[in-house]
Amino acid sequence: MPEASAKPAAVPLGTQTTKAQQQKGKDKNSAGAQETKAQRKAEKAARRAAKVSELGKSSHLPQEAIAQARAQSQAKQSRAASGTSNASSVGGGSSNSVVNATVSSAISSLTAQSTAIHGSDILDKRVGLFKHLEITRRSGTADAAKDIHPVILALTLQFASYTVIGSSARCRATLRAFQTVIKDYRTPVGTTLSRNLTNHLSRQIDFLITARPLSITMGNAIRWLKQEISVVSIDVSDDQARESLIEKIETYIRDKIEVADRVIVQSAVKHIGNGDVILAFSRSAVVEQVFLEANLRGIEFSVVVVDTRPFYEGKEMVRRLARAGLKCEYVLISGLSYVLNDITSVFLGAHAVLSNGQLYSRVGTALVAMSAKRKNIPVIVCCESIKFSNRVQLDSVTFNELGSPDELMNISIDSTPKPGPLKNWRDLPNLKLLNILYDLTPPEYIKKIVTEVGSLPPSSVPVIIREYNSA
């Protein structure tokens, strides 16, 4: 039999019209859902930007950046409303781009100052000997993951802009931020606090590192905190565990930093006598407290503060000491040799003390210590034991931290930046700027290290490290 030819069944015209209307209704509903979703994302981005802005205001972030963030956020929200209506006509294709622009502009405007300097030209103009070192402040908070706490975002901005500077100050600020992170932390279903909280904090720490590398003090504190989290019993409720960790952090700050500084001050004051002329380099919080305590005890002495670029931290120490009634002199490091003739002793702070007795501190410290040693001037270092490190280092090249080369353009010592002749350094192919932050001082140039466990020579540092690790 011949095969019957297959013909499509005829569809009534009214049925075709009904299907077209149904498809049109589905497209309309889909566009409406995408519009609602885009609006929710825009509102969420606005709330997050507002929260980061408030944290930035309380943390002394630049007010211009905050105002710019708010203005751009409001502008993006208004454009998002019109953008979502356009998206409904084209199937919602542009809604995601509008939302992403709202999120990135609201947060990245807060970090414009810290991200503008990280162009590829800086990487191309690094000094060859230090190319293995990373330049600080190489990214902003626009790349932050959604689980990064807003207080960590604000702290990262402070680190990147050098608003919070100094080893102890950074450690204290980091632990305070972790207290807030732990307070707001909630353990996900199916896991335990002792396992998941460590991973959560690690992500916060990884983001902090994008602003500046961890200091020795911060590394020691973070290792201690992770150890405390790991021993939290699974039988303890999450609320009790969080309260216990927050209290332990507070105790750690008090014992290892605040109380340790007071003990160091009481011990170091004994090395100051009437008529002494003491030299201090840059600014150290504990050294500043030593001078203020000696002044309160009625000891008559004077202080010469030697300072250096690019931060000019010594200016703040001079202001505080002069306000307290001390006789002070301020000189840049280029005039060091002219003031050493009248100096009776040198007091230095520390970023870290390594296990081989080397002092790791602000660049220029080694020059000050060596110059004092040549004139038989005793060099006394005030350092908390939390700054001691197991690391052994013989030079300042293998491990160090690089600041932005643009910071060397400022040649002014007042609050108003002055670009100077280096403002067009990027356009000079044969010119490279090196802004290295730390140097190493050999132990033979140091007479004594004053800690909360006593005054000791640099050769005794491994003993303190051993006791610290065993505890």
Side-chain angles (χ1 to χ4, degrees):
M1 294 178 62
E3 296 182 358
S5 60
K7 295 182 179 181
V11 180
L13 182 61
T15 304
Q16 293 178 353
T17 305
T18 302
K19 289 183 177 181
Q21 292 175 351
Q22 291 177 352
Q23 182 64 31
K24 183 177 180 181
K26 291 180 179 179
D27 294 341
K28 185 176 181 180
N29 292 335
S30 176
Q34 292 177 353
E35 178 181 354
T36 304
K37 184 177 181 182
Q39 290 177 351
R40 287 198 301 267
K41 288 185 177 180
E43 293 174 356
K44 183 177 179 181
R47 288 195 299 269
R48 184 184 182 190
K51 190 171 184 180
V52 173
S53 176
E54 291 301 324
L55 284 171
K57 182 185 296 184
S58 63
S59 303
H60 308 288
L61 293 176
Q63 297 299 321
E64 297 81 359
I66 296 174
Q68 184 183 1
R70 288 178 176 174
Q72 291 190 6
S73 177
Q74 293 175 359
K76 290 297 183 180
Q77 289 180 37
S78 61
R79 285 199 292 268
S82 60
T84 49
S85 61
N86 294 334
S88 61
S89 62
V90 295
S94 62
S95 60
N96 291 334
S97 62
V98 173
V99 173
N100 292 335
T102 304
V103 175
S104 61
S105 63
I107 299 180
S108 62
S109 58
L110 289 174
T111 58
Q113 295 181 352
S114 63
T115 57
I117 64 172
H118 297 293
S120 59
D121 53 345
I122 289 184
L123 299 179
D124 295 338
K125 300 197 69 173
R126 288 182 296 175
V127 178
L129 185 61
F130 297 92
K131 280 189 175 181
H132 63 285
L133 301 177
E134 296 180 350
I135 299 178
T136 59
R137 298 189 297 166
R138 59 187 183 278
S139 65
T141 58
D143 299 328
K146 62 180 181 180
D147 59 344
I148 302 300
H149 197 281
V151 72
I152 299 296
L153 296 177
L155 184 61
T156 303
L157 296 180
Q158 291 181 316
F159 285 175
S161 60
Y162 295 100
T163 305
V164 177
I165 193 170
S167 181
S168 297
R170 290 172 61 197
C171 179
R172 185 188 292 108
T174 302
L175 291 176
R176 298 289 188 195
F178 285 165
Q179 284 181 315
T180 305
V181 173
I182 293 174
K183 182 180 179 180
D184 297 339
Y185 168 80
R186 295 298 178 269
T187 305
V189 179
T191 184
T192 60
L193 181 142
S194 59
R195 290 179 177 270
N196 187 263
L197 180 56
T198 302
N199 296 331
H200 182 64
L201 286 180
S202 296
R203 291 190 290 272
Q204 315 298 318
I205 295 167
D206 290 341
F207 187 74
L208 278 177
I209 297 176
T210 63
R212 289 188 65 184
L214 297 179
S215 66
I216 299 297
T217 311
M218 293 170 64
N220 291 335
I222 288 171
R223 281 190 293 272
W224 166 83
L225 179 58
K226 289 186 175 181
Q227 174 65 23
E228 292 296 327
I229 295 174
S230 66
V231 298
V232 173
S233 175
I234 61 175
D235 298 328
V236 179
S237 65
D238 284 1
D239 292 339
Q240 293 177 346
R242 288 195 297 268
E243 292 178 0
S244 176
L245 289 173
I246 292 174
E247 184 177 352
K248 287 181 178 179
I249 292 175
E250 191 66 31
T251 303
Y252 186 90
I253 294 174
R254 183 180 67 249
D255 294 346
K256 297 296 184 180
I257 300 178
E258 297 174 356
V259 174
D261 286 350
R262 289 199 293 267
V263 174
I264 292 173
V265 168
Q266 298 299 323
S267 178
V269 166
K270 300 176 183 179
H271 299 281
I272 301 178
N274 289 318
D276 285 350
V277 181
I278 302 174
L279 186 145
F281 176 68
S282 189
R283 180 174 183 254
S284 169
V286 64
V287 172
E288 181 181 300
Q289 293 177 37
V290 171
F291 295 156
L292 294 176
E293 178 64 23
N295 184 57
L296 289 176
R297 294 188 181 187
I299 302 175
E300 295 183 0
F301 67 102
S302 60
V303 179
V304 177
V305 178
V306 178
D307 207 1
T308 184
R309 299 169 61 197
F311 302 124
Y312 297 111
E313 298 175 72
K315 293 189 297 182
E316 182 62 24
M317 176 181 281
V318 170
R319 290 193 191 101
R320 292 172 181 262
L321 297 180
R323 193 181 300 123
L326 275 79
K327 298 179 181 178
C328 301
E329 294 182 21
Y330 181 82
V331 62
L332 295 181
I333 198 169
S334 56
L336 174 63
S337 60
Y338 297 98
V339 298
L340 280 177
N341 293 330
D342 299 327
I343 300 300
T344 58
S345 60
V346 175
F347 277 67
L348 300 175
H351 179 84
V353 176
L354 308 184
S355 61
N356 57 347
Q358 299 268 8
L359 173 62
Y360 186 70
S361 191
R362 179 75 66 222
V363 62
T365 303
L367 176 61
V368 173
M370 293 177 183
S371 300
K373 179 65 174 180
R374 290 186 59 185
K375 292 183 174 293
N376 295 320
I377 301 174
V379 176
I380 300 173
V381 176
C382 298
C383 177
E384 304 90 338
S385 61
I386 192 179
K387 295 182 178 180
F388 288 3
S389 173
N390 285 316
R391 192 172 66 212
V392 175
Q393 193 171 331
L394 301 177
D395 56 61
S396 303
V397 179
T398 305
F399 179 85
N400 212 312
E401 182 180 345
L402 294 181
S404 170
D406 289 334
E407 291 166 353
L408 297 180
M409 294 190 303
N410 182 21
I411 61 174
S412 174
I413 62 173
D414 56 19
S415 57
T416 303
K418 185 177 180 181
L422 296 177
K423 60 181 180 180
N424 297 322
W425 71 277
R426 299 170 187 267
D427 300 329
L428 303 176
N430 296 326
L431 176 61
K432 298 180 180 180
L433 301 184
L434 176 65
N435 183 13
I436 195 165
L437 298 187
Y438 300 102
D439 63 15
L440 278 179
T441 303
E444 55 266 24
Y445 299 106
I446 301 172
K447 178 181 179 180
K448 188 178 296 184
I449 300 177
V450 182
T451 71
E452 69 271 23
V453 297
S455 300
L456 46 93
S459 58
S460 299
V461 171
V463 179
I464 304 301
I465 295 176
R466 206 161 43 240
E467 294 294 331
Y468 181 83
N469 292 336
S470 62

